[in-house]
Amino acid sequence: MASRNAEGQAQEETCLESQRERGRMGLVRLFLRVIVIRLRRFAGASVNTREEVCPAMVRTARIVLTIAYFFSCALQLGAQSKSSADSHRKQEDQETRIHRVETTVVDLPMGENQAPLRMDLSQLMKLYNVPGLSIAVIDDCKMVWAKGYGVIETGSSTPVTPKTLFQAGSISKPVAATGALYLAEHGKLVLDESVNEKLKTWKVPENDFTKNEKVTLRRLMSHTAGLTVHGFPGYDINDILPTLVQIFNGEKPANTAPIRVDILPGTKEVYSGGGITIEQQIMMDVTGKSFPALMRELVLDKLGMADSSYEQPLPSARAAMTASGTHADGKVVHGRWHIYPEMAAAGLWTTPTDLSKFAIEIAVSKHGKANRVLSEKMTNEMLKPVLEEAGLGLFMDKNNPGQFGHNGADEGFQAILTMNAESGKGVAIMANSDNGIAVGDILLRSVAKEYDWNYKSGGQGAYPMLVLIAKAKGTQAALQRYAELKKFPSAEYKVEERTLNSLGYTLLFSGQMQDAITVFQCNVQEYPESGNVYDSLGEAYMKAGQKELAIQNYEKSLQLDPKNQNAVDMLKKLKEMK
């Protein structure tokens, strides 16, 4: 693959050649136009004047006029033909690139004397129980292709298309934040005053943490307000839905704890879907509008996101366009999906195509080139980290300057949105599976390689690779690869204490109990002084019904880490069991 500099030079040369060609054709057309004008003047001269001219010259003029006319037509047809050929060639090139992304999505080294592990996208989806996936690829701040893969539900024959709707999970948050920032820019909200000044339906309860530092809109959007409740599980389609006030207070039928301040606001970035739900309420309070209608007015319609909606539940017409959520084991979510009254935090239904429109808008507005919702100044405010890598509704990436994005997960749905405001490259991936991000991360790397992103992937080290090997070739193969990476360290596939711990939990939650125990046992041998690894092994034994072994490992964990409250709680529970 050509380097970015070489590719840029080739594009520049192509552009210059195109300009030269247009210049040459322009000169030819101008020359012919002059001839035609002069000959027409001659043809329209008086009879006396024409009679003074040799008849042969009249015939010659008519011939030249005819030739000039047909030559001009030929030039025009040639230009149209060249344009059509260029368009066809570009389409063929794009199809080739799509094919490479799909067919070489996994190309993983397996160590000494072993063939690489290779898979195409369909094989990868099958391995991870992902029935359907949709993607939109952005290059040079334009969506260059979008495509659906698989089916809308396990066992269905209905294919996923670019128009299939998926739940966006927490990618709902940056879209909602854009609406809130619009209201701030137009004087309806204030970024740095206490939200209690504008809240009418409910107020954030004051306590010792809020005496001197207040919960503000900026802090809500950047997860620095010190609020509780990380995320929301949603509600079964048969459940009674709570009001937002019931959610705020943790009152039935709400299925989450009360949303309260438990850290000094402005001092730490702690992810809080609860805070974003307060953002939803304040937007409704200052406008007097329902959240879905408000977001359609402020953001969705302005950006042409016609296939997107915050309606919960969806009306029947839109519901007919949706995929069904799928658990990690491949089973369909009851009722096809959960309902999320916490709309700003988790309630957006959308497509990768619509998410690409959103990402492109933010990227170009940062440079003052679109600004259909937010000004250049406000967009830059949105993309400025408040603490750590948290901006206003979006997360930045210190390893990739210009990169912004968000992941999302609702029950049975997962999604990835990432974009670079400087390079104009990005991707939106949505899947109807709790394994969607695992597959999406691998697909993202394939896109980044094909489109020559200057992109450094996140710091998960060897864990994703080991999960892939465990699924494809078994747990022992994954442990063998782990041992090789320990022996021959790799910067790309870093191994540490959490590597095997994360693999063990992945196996445990997938129902592979004995494999999980084997992995945790290996980690205990690797890190015998860590209380955390014994805690994990104790949990696996407990889930497997091996009470005595669970007690032994929790006691060892507590011995190594006397502050481990989880071990205390689990030991109490185990000893109370008959």
Side-chain angles (χ1 to χ4, degrees), residues 91 159 161 212 272 319 330:
Q91 181 62 30
T161 75
N212 298 316
S272 172

Side-chain angles (χ1 to χ4, degrees), residues 504-526:
Y505 276 113
T506 298
L507 295 168
L508 189 64
F509 295 145
S510 297
Q512 297 171 259
M513 200 82 66
Q514 190 53 52
D515 283 349
I517 290 171
T518 299
V519 170
F520 287 134
Q521 286 172 335
C522 180
N523 215 26
V524 163
Q525 293 172 6
E526 291 286 319

Side-chain angles (χ1 to χ4, degrees), residues 110-164:
M110 289 293 290
E112 292 181 308
N113 304 318
Q114 292 193 56
L117 176 61
R118 293 192 172 103
M119 290 185 193
D120 62 24
L121 182 55
S122 63
Q123 292 169 325
L124 183 67
M125 289 169 62
K126 183 178 180 181
L127 187 68
Y128 278 80
N129 290 321
V130 175
L133 180 146
S134 186
I135 181 173
V137 174
I138 303 164
D139 195 34
D140 194 24
C141 285
K142 300 179 183 66
M143 192 192 78
V144 291
W145 59 275
K147 191 171 179 180
Y149 300 87
V151 292
I152 64 167
E153 182 177 306
T154 302
S156 170
S157 60
T158 304
V160 169
T161 75
K163 301 285 281 184
T164 301

Side-chain angles (χ1 to χ4, degrees), residues 310-386:
Y310 276 93
E311 294 167 290
Q312 290 283 340
L314 281 175
S316 57
R318 285 192 184 274
M321 302 293 294
T322 61
S324 300
T326 311
H327 296 297
D329 61 4
K331 294 179 181 177
V332 178
V333 172
H334 178 252
R336 299 186 66 212
W337 54 73
H338 279 186
I339 298 169
Y340 293 83
E342 310 92 350
M343 299 170 190
L348 180 64
W349 283 94
T350 188
T351 66
T353 296
D354 273 8
L355 287 182
S356 73
K357 293 175 183 178
F358 171 76
I360 291 167
E361 174 72 16
I362 298 301
V364 296
S365 291
K366 180 180 187 291
H367 301 290
K369 295 180 181 178
N371 309 109
R372 287 178 290 177
V373 181
L374 302 178
S375 68
E376 179 180 354
K377 181 180 179 182
M378 186 58 84
T379 306
N380 277 277
E381 195 74 16
M382 184 184 198
L383 298 176
K384 183 170 68 176
V386 176

Side-chain angles (χ1 to χ4, degrees), residues 87-339:
S87 176
H88 182 67
R89 184 163 56 252
K90 286 179 181 178
Q91 181 62 30
E92 284 186 336
D93 290 346
Q94 201 64 257
E95 291 296 332
T96 300
R97 303 188 87 169
I98 294 170
H99 180 72
R100 282 198 294 263
V101 167
E102 296 169 342
T103 56
T104 60
V105 69
V106 173
D107 189 359
L108 194 64
M110 289 293 290
E112 292 181 308
N113 304 318
Q114 292 193 56
L117 176 61
R118 293 192 172 103
M119 290 185 193
D120 62 24
L121 182 55
S122 63
Q123 292 169 325
L124 183 67
M125 289 169 62
K126 183 178 180 181
L127 187 68
Y128 278 80
N129 290 321
V130 175
L133 180 146
S134 186
I135 181 173
V137 174
I138 303 164
D139 195 34
D140 194 24
C141 285
K142 300 179 183 66
M143 192 192 78
V144 291
W145 59 275
K147 191 171 179 180
Y149 300 87
V151 292
I152 64 167
E153 182 177 306
T154 302
S156 170
S157 60
T158 304
V160 169
T161 75
K163 301 285 281 184
T164 301
L165 303 185
F166 294 79
Q167 285 188 332
S170 289
I171 300 177
S172 306
K173 294 177 173 71
V175 182
T178 304
L181 290 171
Y182 176 91
L183 293 176
E185 192 160 22
H186 290 79
K188 291 280 190 180
L189 292 173
V190 180
L191 283 175
D192 296 308
E193 75 172 10
S194 169
V195 292
N196 280 346
E197 295 295 324
K198 296 284 195 300
L199 282 168
K200 300 173 185 176
T201 305
W202 176 87
K203 305 280 187 183
V204 177
E206 301 285 354
N207 59 25
D208 289 343
F209 294 110
T210 61
K211 283 181 179 178
N212 298 316
E213 292 293 338
K214 300 301 179 182
V215 173
T216 66
L217 183 60
R218 186 189 301 275
R219 287 170 175 171
L220 290 179
M221 290 190 285
S222 60
H223 304 282
T224 59
L227 286 156
T228 58
V229 184
H230 180 276
F232 301 99
Y235 295 83
D236 186 272
I237 59 164
N238 295 327
D239 287 346
I240 298 172
L241 299 179
T243 65
L244 288 187
V245 172
Q246 288 172 324
I247 292 169
F248 295 143
N249 293 328
E251 299 169 348
K252 296 296 182 183
N255 58 13
T256 47
I259 299 169
R260 298 291 185 265
V261 179
D262 70 345
I263 297 173
L264 187 66
T267 60
K268 190 175 181 181
E269 186 260 297
V270 178
Y271 193 88
S272 172
I276 305 304
T277 308
I278 297 172
E279 175 191 324
Q280 175 182 335
Q281 185 67 67
I282 198 173
M283 292 172 69
M284 295 164 63
D285 281 353
V286 299
T287 62
K289 297 180 179 179
S290 73
F291 192 73
L294 181 61
M295 286 304 300
R296 180 153 300 286
E297 174 190 334
L298 298 184
V299 180
L300 303 182
D301 282 350
K302 290 179 181 179
L303 301 187
M305 296 173 68
D307 293 319
S308 300
S309 176
Y310 276 93
E311 294 167 290
Q312 290 283 340
L314 281 175
S316 57
R318 285 192 184 274
M321 302 293 294
T322 61
S324 300
T326 311
H327 296 297
D329 61 4
K331 294 179 181 177
V332 178
V333 172
H334 178 252
R336 299 186 66 212
W337 54 73
H338 279 186
I339 298 169

Side-chain angles (χ1 to χ4, degrees), residues 435-448:
N435 291 327
I437 288 176
V439 171
D441 278 338
I442 296 169
L443 179 56
L444 186 155
R445 288 196 290 271
S446 183
V447 171

